[in-house]
Amino acid sequence: MRILLANHEVLLQGLTMTLALTLCVLVIATVFAALLAAGLMARHPVLRRLAQVISEVMRDIPLFVTVMMVYFVAPSFGIGLDPFGATLVGLGAWGAANGSTIIRAGILAVPAGQREASAALGLRPWQVLRLVILPQALRPILPPYLGLTTQLVQATSVGALIGVRELLRTGQIVMERATVMEGGLSPFLLYGVILLIYFAICSALSALSRRLERRLGRHENHTMAATPQAETSQPGALARLRIARS
């Protein structure tokens, strides 16, 4: 324990790198997941097929192989990436492929009648998406997407294989220092602490997912309770739109 306390700054730097890498990956993955999901639902067959191929290939290739391919193959095409950048691209591509299926499933979970009724009310396609589809799709999307986020947190450890000084890599550095300077350190103690840190992060994300899901459920129930009886025969989102337009 004394050795861990003496190297707490190194472990803290690794934790900071893990959180920064996770945040960057999450932003990139979310943006491209939305684009891929739009491609998967596109009417144009070529665009839809291209999105399907990209999504399927990225989900089927092991994450370790993807990161290694980016790190070692990209320079052959004149794209030099450092370990952080290669891990960011590899994890982002993997997260986008998996996130696109979650977003697509959440949007398709909204009944088709919602779109038809919205069009009948004179809403434009982007208004239908923003006011009707996305608010209802958020509830089925949110829990699995936060689950994907916990997977991305765990997957950042792959970066240790190519030199990213994230949490796992800094743990290895502490182990090497302790072996040279102190005569050794219990691997069980060191990696047990690292395991607890990962567990705390992922548990916090899981708790956030449950809290947001309950909040969305209460908001939906409150909205439905506030809707006049004459409007409750319509689905919730369309009822609110009719009230707003009246």
Side-chain angles (χ1 to χ4, degrees):
M1 185 60 70
R2 179 181 59 83
I3 299 176
L4 288 179
L5 293 177
N7 291 274
H8 73 279
E9 292 184 358
V10 178
L11 294 173
L12 184 59
Q13 292 174 358
L15 175 60
T16 303
M17 178 64 72
T18 293
L19 295 177
L21 182 58
T22 301
L23 181 60
C24 294
V25 168
L26 185 60
V27 171
I28 291 177
T30 301
V31 171
F32 285 96
L35 294 176
L36 266 179
L40 291 172
M41 296 182 293
R43 295 182 179 180
H44 197 288
V46 175
L47 183 60
R48 185 172 63 251
R49 186 58 180 170
L50 178 61
Q52 289 173 348
V53 170
I54 294 175
S55 178
E56 190 67 26
V57 168
M58 295 310 305
R59 288 190 294 119
D60 290 344
I61 297 177
L63 181 57
F64 168 77
V65 176
T66 301
V67 174
M68 288 297 178
M69 285 284 290
V70 173
Y71 184 64
F72 290 106
V73 177
S76 302
F77 296 93
I79 305 175
L81 294 175
D82 60 6
F84 183 91
T87 305
L88 179 62
V89 172
L91 292 183
W94 181 83
N98 286 274
S100 64
T101 61
I102 295 174
I103 295 174
R104 175 179 177 272
I107 292 176
L108 292 180
V110 179
Q114 298 276 333
R115 300 176 180 83
E116 298 170 359
S118 300
L121 289 172
L123 296 180
R124 296 182 178 181
W126 67 269
Q127 291 177 314
V128 175
L129 181 64
R130 183 174 66 87
L131 298 175
V132 179
I133 304 301
L134 289 182
Q136 297 180 80
L138 185 61
R139 189 175 182 186
I141 287 174
L142 189 60
Y145 206 86
L146 284 176
L148 176 63
T149 303
T150 63
Q151 290 182 303
L152 291 174
V153 173
Q154 299 165 8
T156 55
S157 59
V158 175
L161 300 174
I162 57 175
V164 179
R165 295 191 60 169
E166 44 72 61
L167 185 58
L168 180 61
R169 178 56 183 159
T170 54
Q172 295 171 345
I173 293 174
V174 170
M175 179 65 71
E176 293 169 359
R177 286 184 179 180
T179 301
V180 173
M181 301 178 63
E182 303 288 343
L185 173 65
S186 171
F188 179 81
L189 176 61
L190 174 62
Y191 292 110
V193 170
I194 293 175
L195 182 148
L196 289 176
I197 294 174
Y198 278 116
F199 177 78
I201 296 173
C202 295
S203 296
L205 289 173
S206 298
L208 176 63
S209 174
R210 292 191 295 269
R211 181 175 179 180
L212 290 176
E213 190 174 4
R214 288 195 299 268
R215 184 172 181 179
L216 287 173
R218 288 196 301 267
H219 177 72
E220 182 176 341
N221 293 335
H222 175 74
T223 302
M224 292 299 296
T227 303
Q229 184 65 31
E231 297 289 344
T232 56
S233 59
Q234 297 287 337
L238 295 181
R240 294 193 296 272
L241 286 173
R242 289 175 61 88
I243 293 173
R245 290 173 61 87
S246 62

